[in-house]
Amino acid sequence: LGELQQKLRSTCLIRRLKADVLTDLPSKRRQILVLAPNGAAGAVAAEAAAFQQFEKGIEDAAFAVEVSKASDDPDEYSDAVSRLRAAEAHAFEEIAAIRHEVAIAKVPAVVEQVQLALEQGPVVVFAHHRDVIAAISEAIPESVTITGGTSMTARDEAVRSFQAGEVDLLIGNIQAAGVGLTLTRSSHVIFAELDWVPGNVTQAEDRTHRIGQTKSVLVQHIVLDGSLDQRLAETIVRKQSVID
C-alpha cells in the first residue's frame, strides 16, 4: 500500500484527508448500542434461524459449483453457478424482509434512545424503510422527515427548520437524506437501520460532519442483541475504520 500510494502521488493524484485540510472538521466517534430484544425477541430469533438456513443453502450451492469444476460436462458447471446465484438472490430478498420486521419491532427501543439523546441537543436519525421513519416520527411528532417521496421544496424546508432550531429531530432515509444536505446543527447521529454499503453509511454521517460543525460528532448504531444488524454494524464500523 505504501508503494502504491507513492506511485499514485507521483503520477496522477494527490489525496487529502478532510482531517488534514479542513481543520474545523472534528473527528467522529462511532458506537454500537446493543440492546436486549425484549418485545422483539421473537423477530430476532426468527431472523437468526432464517439466516442460518439461507447461509447453509448458499454454502451447499457453492460447494456444488466447486464439485462441478471437475466435471467434463460444461453445462453442469453453468447450472451449478445459476443455482448458486438463484440461492443468493432468494436469500437476500428473504433476509431483507425479515430485517424489515426486526426494524419495526425495534422502533420502541429506538424511540426511547432518541428521546434520551434529545435531552442533550438536536439529533439526526437515519433509517431505511418509510414505515420505520413514519413510526419514529409518530412517536416523536416534534420532528421533520425526509424520504425518497419528499419533494425538493419540502426537503429544503425540513432542512431549514432543523438548522434554524425550529425542530430538534430530523429523521431521514439513508439514501434520500444521506447526500447533499447540511445538518451541522446536530453533532449526534443515530442509525435505526443500516445500509449494506459502508460508503452510504459514511455519507449519511457526513451530513453533520462537514464545514460549519464545531463539535465532535457522535454516531450511534442501535441494534438488538443477537440480530443480523448487530453483526452488520460491527462489520460496517470495522470497514469504515479501514477506509478512513
Side-chain angles (χ1 to χ4, degrees):
L1 287 177
E3 181 182 357
L4 173 61
Q5 185 179 67
Q6 184 169 358
K7 288 182 179 296
L8 290 172
R9 286 177 178 272
S10 63
T11 55
C12 59
L13 68 88
I14 297 178
R15 179 171 181 264
R16 301 296 192 204
L17 298 177
K18 287 189 293 185
D20 294 335
V21 297
L22 300 177
T23 57
D24 57 340
L25 287 182
S27 61
K28 286 184 285 189
R29 294 171 293 146
R30 298 185 177 104
Q31 296 178 349
I32 300 175
L33 299 183
V34 183
L35 308 179
N38 296 327
V44 171
E47 179 188 57
F51 182 76
Q52 290 179 356
Q53 176 186 349
F54 291 126
E55 191 173 41
K56 185 180 185 307
I58 291 174
E59 288 176 354
D60 291 343
F63 180 73
V65 170
E66 294 302 315
V67 171
S68 68
K69 290 179 180 178
S71 173
D72 295 331
D73 183 1
D75 291 338
E76 184 175 340
Y77 175 74
S78 177
D79 291 343
V81 170
S82 296
R83 288 193 296 270
L84 173 59
R85 290 176 177 171
E88 290 174 336
H90 178 66
F92 183 85
E93 292 177 1
E94 293 296 325
I95 290 297
I98 297 172
R99 284 184 66 209
H100 184 196
E101 295 177 6
V102 173
I104 291 293
K106 187 173 61 173
V107 166
V110 171
V111 169
E112 182 178 356
Q113 293 298 319
V114 171
Q115 289 173 329
L116 289 173
L118 285 169
E119 295 177 2
Q120 306 299 320
V123 178
V124 176
V125 174
F126 285 106
H128 178 68
H129 294 95
R130 291 188 184 185
D131 52 359
V132 173
I133 294 172
I136 299 172
S137 178
E138 183 178 353
I140 310 176
E142 298 81 14
S143 60
V144 290
T145 63
I146 296 177
T147 68
T150 305
S151 67
M152 289 302 299
T153 300
R155 184 176 308 198
D156 292 343
E157 176 57 23
V159 172
R160 186 207 63 77
S161 62
F162 180 77
Q163 288 288 88
E166 296 173 7
V167 292
D168 287 337
L169 176 61
L170 186 145
I171 312 165
N173 172 270
I174 292 175
Q175 294 188 345
V179 293
L181 304 183
T182 297
L183 305 172
T184 49
R185 179 167 169 261
S186 172
S187 59
H188 193 166
V189 178
I190 293 177
F191 284 90
E193 295 182 273
L194 280 171
D195 194 281
W196 294 100
V197 182
N200 292 342
V201 176
T202 300
Q203 282 281 357
E205 293 175 355
D206 285 348
R207 297 315 92 215
T208 65
H209 184 257
R210 55 197 290 124
I211 296 174
Q213 181 58 262
T214 59
K215 300 177 182 178
S216 177
V217 173
L218 174 63
V219 178
Q220 293 181 317
H221 299 283
I222 300 178
V223 299
L224 299 180
D225 191 20
S227 68
L228 185 57
D229 263 7
Q230 179 183 5
R231 184 184 308 185
L232 183 60
E234 293 169 351
T235 301
I236 284 179
V237 169
R238 184 168 63 250
K239 287 185 177 181
Q240 285 178 307
S241 297
V242 173
I243 293 170
D244 290 345

